Amino acid sequence: MKKFYKNKKILVTGVTGFKGAWLSQWLISLGAKVYGLGYNPNQNKNLFYKLNLQKKVKTKLFDIRNYKQLKSLIKNIKPSIIFHLAAQPLIYESYKKPHLTFDVNYRGTLNLLEISRGINSIKSIIVVTSDKCYESNNSSKGFKETDLLGGIDPYSASKSSTEIMVRAYRKTFFTNKKNVGLSTARAGNVIGGGDWSLNRLIPDCVRSLLKDKVIEIRNPNFNRPWQHVLEPLKGYLILAMQQFKNPKKFSGAWNFGTKPNSLTNVKSIVKYMIGFWGKGKLKIRKNKLYEQQNLQLNINKATKYLKWYPTYNIKQSVRFTTDWYLKVLKYKKKPSLVTLEQITQYEKDSKIS
Ligand SMILES: NC(=O)c1ccc[n+]([C@@H]2O[C@H](COP(=O)([O-])OP(=O)(O)OC[C@H]3O[C@@H](n4cnc5c(N)ncnc54)[C@H](O)[C@@H]3O)[C@@H](O)[C@H]2O)c1
């Protein structure tokens, strides 16, 4: 992987976001030339700026719905690989702003693909959607890539409709016509240091723990495929590399979930976190909005064809995450240093060379 990514020109959309910051930090450490597109960054709490990535990633800040600006950005960079992460990614926000959620998530991807099909330098595109793109059935049996797409809330539906659009572009313009790899990646709820989003479990916990406040949780018994952010990112990196080399074999839809039988509920995650932090209390709060109770991904396809497999179990992932916040917030270590140390540790534990 290190040999492959060295000096590759890569565009990351959503670079100023949580996953975008970890991904670009990792790509830089692999020797890639990283370019970014972000929008409306919150500079006070934003991991991207805490890692000083604005100095290492040539980044433009504008709305991905602006077709003209996006076209000129991609034409100027001439990337060979694109990781498309830009989105409105929060379910709760999607209830408040359904039009914006559909518009950014669907039209943003549509703009990117329409522009990319006219640019010859591009050889591999990963569109990040979500495990929530599947039709909800509240079963804890893992969804396979071939299962029915659905989505009741606006966020989930925006991602499943994006899946169908990407498939049409793949079949019509990319893999079959231009020999360019185009895949969607469906991952679960990620955790990791440096996430400050509102209404996400780990950032909410850290905010409460820091102020010695009780942690309030909405859905204590909901199961989620929690995973450390580096797990799906490893999947995106392997997939982008494989479909670059062999677009016909590797282009498609891919799940990057947790190890089988590792469903963990919200309450257990918070309890692990309190344990690793050293103190804290939790309280259950009622939730009236619809969210799927169980969500699990079947990862057989990625394991078989990409040789991708999660490195950590859920407890190790919560420990790794809590460590990041403790080192940065309590022991005042530099966020960039802690992040790089964790990437190196993860590469070692995953036997990545
Ligand atoms: N975090 C998770 O648990 C999770 C789980 C499944 C899927 N995902 C998906 O992964 C991707 C990244 O998520 P994240 O957690 O890093 O989110 P985030 O909110 O931290 O980052 C979102 C990024 O998208 C950019 N963006 C938002 N609106 C934009 C617009 N109109 N134009 C251009 N850029 C825009 C933001 O500036 C930011 O860089 C998203 O596509 C999300 O749906 C995330």
Side-chain angles (χ1 to χ4, degrees), residues 164-184:
I164 294 171
M165 179 246 297
V166 174
R167 183 170 179 266
Y169 266 79
R170 177 168 58 241
K171 296 263 179 210
T172 318
F173 305 111
F174 282 87
T175 314
N176 295 346
K177 277 225 168 120
K178 285 172 64 102
N179 220 18
V180 169
L182 172 61
S183 286
T184 52

Side-chain angles (χ1 to χ4, degrees), residues 13-21 37-41 46 61-66 84-90 100 103-105 108 127-132 155 159 185-191 195 197 200 226-227 229 236:
T13 76
V15 76
T16 50
F18 173 60
K19 275 185 174 176
L37 162 63
Y39 190 51
N40 282 343
N46 197 297
L61 302 179
F62 64 85
D63 192 331
I64 195 162
R65 290 172 291 174
N66 186 327
H84 174 48
L85 280 73
Q88 189 302 97
L90 302 170
L100 176 114
D103 207 24
V104 171
N105 297 2
V127 174
V128 172
T129 63
S130 170
D131 58 348
K132 298 181 187 65
Y155 168 74
K159 289 291 187 176
R186 305 162 179 177
N189 290 43
V190 293
I191 59 174
D195 191 0
S197 308
R200 267 193 196 155
W226 305 97
Q227 55 187 174
V229 61
Y236 305 165

Side-chain angles (χ1 to χ4, degrees), residues 190-222:
V190 293
I191 59 174
D195 191 0
W196 293 110
S197 308
L198 290 173
N199 293 320
R200 267 193 196 155
L201 183 64
I202 299 290
D204 284 350
C205 286
V206 175
R207 276 186 282 269
S208 301
L209 289 168
L210 275 176
K211 292 184 194 153
D212 280 329
K213 275 173 65 181
V214 176
I215 300 170
E216 293 193 4
I217 52 176
R218 285 189 303 263
N219 303 308
N221 301 318
F222 278 18

Side-chain angles (χ1 to χ4, degrees), residues 8 30 81 86 126 159 303 323 332:
K8 284 271 179 323
L30 291 170
I81 300 173
I126 305 291
K159 289 291 187 176
T303 306
D323 264 6
K332 308 291 176 206

Side-chain angles (χ1 to χ4, degrees), residues 1-8 23-33 237 343 347 352-353:
M1 202 154 89
K2 288 184 180 163
K3 204 168 142 199
F4 174 81
Y5 279 103
K6 196 164 170 59
N7 289 325
K8 284 271 179 323
L23 178 61
S24 45
Q25 181 67 80
W26 197 353
L27 283 165
I28 290 166
S29 77
L30 291 170
K33 292 182 185 149
L237 289 172
I343 289 173
E347 283 178 343
I352 289 174
S353 54

